[in-house]
Amino acid sequence: MGARPGAQKAPAGRRRTRAVRSLPGVANGTEGLRAQNLSQILTMVHRYGPLSRSELTRRTGFNRSTVGALVLTLTERNLVRETEPAAGGRVGRPSPIVQVNPGVAVLAVNPDIDALTVGVVGLGGRVHARVRRETRGIPTLDDAVQLTLDIVSDLQPLLAGLDSLLGVGIALPGLVNAGTGRVLVAPHLGWQDADLTGPFGAALGLPAVAANDASLGSLAESIFGAALGVADALYLNGSASGIGGGIVTGGAQLVGSRGYGGELGHTLVRPGGSPCHCGRSGCLDAEVRLERLLGAAGLDGGGIEALEIVLSDGPVEAVRLEAERQVELLAVALVDFVNIFDPELILLGGFLGSLVGFAGQSLGDAVNEASLAGRVHVRRAALGPELLLVGAAELAFRPLLASPA
């Protein structure tokens, strides 16, 4: 409902500057080069916020006239706007500030077993609106499409004030083939081998794209959140559906041969423990659960917002004991991840972020003491409840960022 958080410093440790790369899909030759240059300018101000023309010149290596022409083109397409900088007493003509037009937006959808959330997200990661509707039971795919339509209908006054609505991005707790838009399996939702993007796209009249929710959360944190500028990071998201992960190594997302990489929730943490949807027992996804924490407080639902209240200062003993148990098992998994991926930063989102708040420094200390290399930073994700919406929106913005012309 507000602007995205400002740029945040990455934790101490090695940091690398990542150049903005133009995305694939542009033509060759002079027009192709111009399209790449437009992509680079738009992507830069989208990801890093308002930049002066002189700063764009410095970062891109283009000359001033080229930057001016590219900015003019993007302005004519209503993708960016220019403003005069605040007076600073400097000699000479100040360089205009270039910023994205947040009125160019997409829809973001996050279905889960207890609720469905729809957001309207503008360029620059600005969340104009976020609506969460709880469901009476686990929604079917058709239920999710219809509920999305109902929410979008309620959002019409806001949508009417936008300059353009480009598409819809879907963050799903399950295995999603981002290339085909099909869900292989979303075990907690019960969705299996189904066309995901087709029904949403047809109902909304917009091009639709989809990917795993935790992978999109990792993407959002690496662009707008606490992993900005960090080349090797690991992200875990905890929702009512379970736990998923996203891995960034060498500045690139690790997705696997079919796009199903990052199912870190199915790491064994307690042999012979609770049965998991994957068929095994004792997986992180089966042992560290939102409903167990809420259940310890006598609650049936309420989501992460309710958990924040439950885990506030002085939780009752049943809640405290369950939270301590889950933190201990979470640490077991994180030690394995540190030994395998050697990240410099671990980010925990969703209800796992709430556990970070509860455990404080003790979780990071436990991980560093038990892992081989140690010296990893364990932090709460920075984007909060808007995280998955920003990630889904980034997926939907990709065609525009690749080819603004």
Side-chain angles (χ1 to χ4, degrees), residues 78-162:
N78 204 23
L79 297 174
V80 303
R81 295 168 176 170
E82 285 194 287
T83 58
E84 292 299 322
R90 297 181 61 182
V91 177
R93 183 179 179 182
S95 180
I97 303 298
V98 182
Q99 56 189 331
V100 292
N101 174 11
V104 176
V106 297
L107 295 174
V109 181
N110 174 219
D112 213 329
I113 62 172
D114 62 342
L116 183 137
T117 306
V118 174
V120 181
V121 185
L123 279 172
R126 177 174 176 179
V127 179
H128 296 289
R130 172 180 172 267
V131 179
R132 181 180 184 272
R133 295 270 176 87
E134 292 195 358
T135 55
R136 294 184 178 179
I138 299 175
T140 65
L141 179 55
D142 289 341
D143 291 338
V145 172
Q146 185 56 55
L147 185 52
T148 300
L149 279 174
D150 293 343
I151 295 174
V152 170
S153 178
D154 293 341
L155 289 171
Q156 281 306 313
L158 169 65
L159 299 177
L162 297 174

Side-chain angles (χ1 to χ4, degrees), residues 15 36 47 84 113 125 178 191 218 227 250 265-266 279 303 354 367 379:
R15 297 182 62 181
Q36 285 184 325
R47 292 185 173 182
E84 292 299 322
I113 62 172
W191 303 359
S218 172
H266 297 288
S354 303
V367 172
R379 300 282 187 268

Side-chain angles (χ1 to χ4, degrees), residues 106-107 165-168 197-198 200-209:
V106 297
L107 295 174
L165 191 63
L166 302 179
V168 55
T197 55
F200 276 96
L204 295 166
L206 294 167
V209 287

Side-chain angles (χ1 to χ4, degrees), residues 37-379:
N37 293 344
L38 286 169
S39 170
Q40 188 167 353
I41 294 289
L42 181 61
T43 302
M44 197 167 283
V45 292
H46 166 68
R47 292 185 173 182
Y48 301 130
L51 296 170
S52 67
R53 280 199 189 186
S54 60
E55 181 63 14
L56 288 170
T57 300
R58 186 188 69 80
R59 292 192 183 203
T60 61
F62 303 153
N63 60 45
R64 286 185 295 175
S65 60
T66 297
V67 169
L70 294 170
V71 170
L72 177 61
T73 298
L74 293 172
T75 302
E76 291 172 345
R77 285 165 170 71
N78 204 23
L79 297 174
V80 303
R81 295 168 176 170
E82 285 194 287
T83 58
E84 292 299 322
R90 297 181 61 182
V91 177
R93 183 179 179 182
S95 180
I97 303 298
V98 182
Q99 56 189 331
V100 292
N101 174 11
V104 176
V106 297
L107 295 174
V109 181
N110 174 219
D112 213 329
I113 62 172
D114 62 342
L116 183 137
T117 306
V118 174
V120 181
V121 185
L123 279 172
R126 177 174 176 179
V127 179
H128 296 289
R130 172 180 172 267
V131 179
R132 181 180 184 272
R133 295 270 176 87
E134 292 195 358
T135 55
R136 294 184 178 179
I138 299 175
T140 65
L141 179 55
D142 289 341
D143 291 338
V145 172
Q146 185 56 55
L147 185 52
T148 300
L149 279 174
D150 293 343
I151 295 174
V152 170
S153 178
D154 293 341
L155 289 171
Q156 281 306 313
L158 169 65
L159 299 177
L162 297 174
D163 291 304
S164 57
L165 191 63
L166 302 179
V168 55
I170 306 163
L172 188 77
L175 297 181
V176 182
N177 187 313
T180 64
R182 292 187 69 85
V183 52
L184 176 66
V185 59
H188 296 280
L189 285 167
W191 303 359
Q192 188 169 355
D193 192 22
D195 179 11
L196 178 62
T197 55
F200 276 96
L204 295 166
L206 294 167
V209 287
N212 171 262
D213 59 349
S215 294
L216 292 177
S218 172
L219 178 67
E221 284 289 331
S222 67
I223 294 174
F224 298 117
L228 178 65
V230 180
D232 297 279
L234 187 144
Y235 170 76
L236 278 183
N237 181 67
S239 73
S241 287
I243 296 173
I247 304 131
V248 175
T249 178
Q253 233 182 351
L254 182 65
V255 295
S257 62
R258 293 170 295 168
Y260 300 146
E263 285 298 316
L264 302 178
H266 297 288
T267 300
L268 184 65
V269 295
R270 183 172 166 248
S274 301
C276 182
H277 276 73
C278 72
R280 301 197 303 170
S281 297
C283 291
L284 178 66
D285 188 82
E287 294 290 341
V288 178
R289 301 288 304 175
L290 174 61
E291 70 267 20
R292 286 194 180 192
L293 290 163
L294 294 174
L299 299 177
D300 181 16
I304 298 166
E305 292 83 355
L307 180 62
E308 285 291 316
I309 299 173
V310 167
L311 290 179
S312 60
D313 292 341
V316 298
E317 184 177 10
V319 173
R320 179 181 58 80
L321 291 174
E322 177 61 21
E324 289 174 350
R325 186 192 73 86
Q326 294 200 20
V327 167
E328 182 178 345
L329 293 174
L330 178 59
V332 171
L334 296 184
V335 168
D336 285 345
F337 302 153
V338 171
N339 290 338
I340 295 169
F341 299 108
D342 187 27
E344 61 179 289
L345 173 67
I346 294 175
L347 290 175
L348 301 175
F351 81 88
L352 298 182
S354 303
L355 287 178
V356 175
F358 168 79
Q361 187 60 38
S362 64
L363 178 59
D365 290 342
V367 172
N368 282 299
E369 288 170 5
S371 58
L372 294 176
R375 300 182 64 182
V376 63
H377 300 274
V378 180
R379 300 282 187 268

